[in-house]
Amino acid sequence: MKITLTTLAGVALLLLSSCDPEPDVRYLYIQPESVVYDIATGKEADNNEVPFNDLLVHIKTPFSQQTVSVPTALPFVTKSYAMHKDMSKAYTVEKMTGIRVVTVKDYDATHLAGSDITDLCMFYNVKKNADTNKLNPVFAEGVSLQRVVQDMNVNSEYGYGGIGPRAEFGIKLLQVPATASQQQFKIEFETATPSKFSTTTKPFILKP
């Protein structure tokens, strides 16, 4: 009987050690980026005038990726000898809970500097501009803010678009200010920790 158990353990060990490990993939967001574009010209609106209808705030949310193999928990296999998992997982290390768009300067008479104007924003997926003379992205189909947050929280094997967390989105505005004015926006990302990280656009002049 002792020989049989030893033999079975040896066979199981051989099978497990011959399998490739299926590691966890952990994603961690790093410093976000923001660029304001004039989509009519395809240029960045760095301290320049941008007509309201041609404004697009492009948000990039880059992330780092770490692959971690978890040792098997089987009692007869040492952790240093074999690695085994039933299936791999992909997940975002820090859970995103919300996104806010805040004015750095007075937007209008009712939205002064420091105001939350998230409700005045429309969120979009973005795609590469087909016009080779323009560097700006093009806003595609609309997407809810809740979906943007959801896409930033990978908790499955596939993630956003099958390639991990959401890495970018676009913002346009709903409410036209009464007069031309210099604007600047801060986009805050809130996590369950709780903690915040943010990106602030360069100043630009928004023209009604």
Side-chain angles (χ1 to χ4, degrees):
M1 185 67 176
K2 184 177 179 181
I3 296 175
T4 304
L5 288 175
T6 303
T7 303
L8 288 174
V11 171
L13 180 59
L14 180 63
L15 289 172
L16 288 172
S17 60
S18 65
C19 295
D20 290 331
E22 296 183 31
D24 284 349
V25 180
R26 301 175 185 175
Y27 298 103
L28 180 65
Y29 278 104
I30 53 182
Q31 183 60 40
E33 305 167 14
S34 56
V35 182
V36 176
Y37 285 105
D38 181 336
I39 59 176
T41 64
K43 297 179 180 179
E44 291 186 27
D46 184 3
N47 278 315
N48 296 320
E49 278 193 354
V50 185
F52 179 83
N53 291 330
D54 295 329
L55 172 73
L56 178 67
V57 183
H58 184 208
I59 307 298
K60 293 184 179 180
T61 53
F63 50 82
S64 62
Q65 177 177 328
Q66 182 182 31
T67 303
V68 180
S69 293
V70 180
T72 179
L74 294 177
F76 54 85
V77 180
T78 62
K79 292 183 179 181
S80 61
Y81 190 85
M83 311 287 280
H84 176 74
K85 285 177 64 61
D86 292 332
M87 64 179 295
S88 60
K89 300 176 184 176
Y91 60 94
T92 319
V93 174
E94 197 166 26
K95 183 180 179 182
M96 204 68 54
T97 57
I99 299 172
R100 295 198 318 149
V101 181
V102 179
T103 60
V104 176
K105 303 178 184 296
D106 293 351
Y107 184 73
D108 56 25
T110 56
H111 299 89
L112 304 181
S115 297
D116 183 343
I117 60 165
T118 311
D119 290 344
L120 303 184
C121 297
M122 299 176 291
F123 296 84
Y124 292 88
N125 294 320
V126 293
K127 59 184 180 180
K128 185 176 180 180
N129 197 329
D131 188 340
T132 56
N133 295 317
K134 295 181 179 180
L135 297 177
N136 66 292
V138 177
F139 66 95
E141 67 276 6
V143 61
S144 69
L145 177 58
Q146 291 75 17
R147 182 55 189 267
V148 172
V149 173
Q150 178 185 326
D151 290 343
M152 292 182 73
N153 291 318
V154 171
N155 57 5
S156 70
E157 192 172 357
Y158 301 102
Y160 175 69
I163 55 172
R166 175 184 283 273
E168 62 182 342
F169 59 92
I171 299 174
K172 288 180 71 65
L173 295 167
L174 282 167
Q175 186 168 308
V176 186
T179 59
S181 58
Q182 188 179 61
Q183 296 296 330
Q184 192 173 15
F185 303 135
K186 182 178 182 181
I187 296 84
E188 294 182 340
F189 298 83
E190 301 173 344
T191 70
T193 308
S195 64
K196 292 181 181 179
F197 57 97
S198 64
T199 175
T200 302
T201 69
K202 292 180 179 180
F204 63 97
I205 300 171
L206 185 59
K207 184 179 178 181

